[in-house]
Amino acid sequence: MNETMVTLVGNAATAVEFRETATGGMARFRFAVTPRRRDRETQLWTDGPTSFYTVWAWRTLAANLAGSVGIGEPLVVHGRLKVREEEREGGRRTFVDVEAVAVGHDLSRGTAAFRRVVRTEPALTAASHSGADGESDAGSGASRARSERAAEKVAVS
């Protein structure tokens, strides 16, 4: 499948809107990208026209965005470019979206402290792990080892 992948450097123009859906989390925010050029005649930096994109994210990336990004923060967004046209207010309008694969703070403009999100293992039911004789292994050493590893993961972070 041919998809246009882009990497944009700019600022979060709106707060991240997060919603839970049937397939996991969904987040979106507006992203402003303003090119900056050096004018050789005046020896000054000048801003070009600002382009706005709607950035969409799904599942884990969506949840992490909601907890990490605020208005005005410098970001780098990498994802699939999507262009769509719609009839609105009696005219045809063009919208440019980015379906994000990765988003991070632009460290050329500041510092950040990364915090890894600890995911716990899904709860195992006795019915899903019964032995050949129909008895559950919930009290077995293997089950206890899984529980101890999950507890260690939580304790480390």
Side-chain angles (χ1 to χ4, degrees):
M1 181 173 187
N2 283 336
E3 296 177 326
T4 304
M5 300 298 287
V6 295
T7 301
L8 303 171
V9 178
N11 295 301
T14 64
V16 176
E17 296 175 32
F18 178 80
R19 282 189 217 132
E20 280 294 334
T21 66
T23 59
M26 181 276 300
R28 73 175 180 185
F29 66 97
R30 296 285 285 162
F31 190 61
V33 177
T34 304
R36 197 147 224 244
R37 293 180 180 28
R38 180 93 171 156
D39 185 334
R40 289 184 186 186
E41 292 177 13
T42 64
Q43 296 298 312
L44 297 173
W45 288 97
T46 59
D47 289 341
T50 301
S51 298
F52 289 90
Y53 303 85
T54 300
V55 177
W56 297 85
W58 306 96
R59 294 176 285 290
T60 303
L61 178 56
N64 291 343
L65 272 172
S68 303
V69 173
I71 297 172
E73 292 183 0
L75 302 172
V76 178
V77 174
H78 180 72
R80 293 173 201 86
L81 185 67
K82 308 278 185 180
V83 179
R84 57 190 167 86
E85 291 186 11
E86 293 181 10
E87 287 287 333
R88 281 202 183 169
E89 301 166 6
R92 200 152 181 80
R93 301 218 26 212
T94 302
F95 298 92
V96 184
D97 299 338
V98 176
E99 189 175 304
V101 173
V103 177
H105 284 98
D106 182 355
L107 297 181
S108 70
R109 296 175 48 205
T111 62
F114 180 77
R115 292 177 310 278
R116 185 172 302 278
V117 175
V118 178
R119 303 277 180 230
T120 58
E121 293 181 31
L124 301 173
T125 61
S128 66
H129 283 346
S130 57
D133 58 358
E135 291 184 26
S136 168
D137 71 348
S140 72
S143 178
R144 266 181 286 169
R146 276 192 301 270
S147 297
E148 289 170 5
R149 280 195 309 272
E152 287 173 9
K153 286 181 186 176
V154 172
V156 167
S157 63

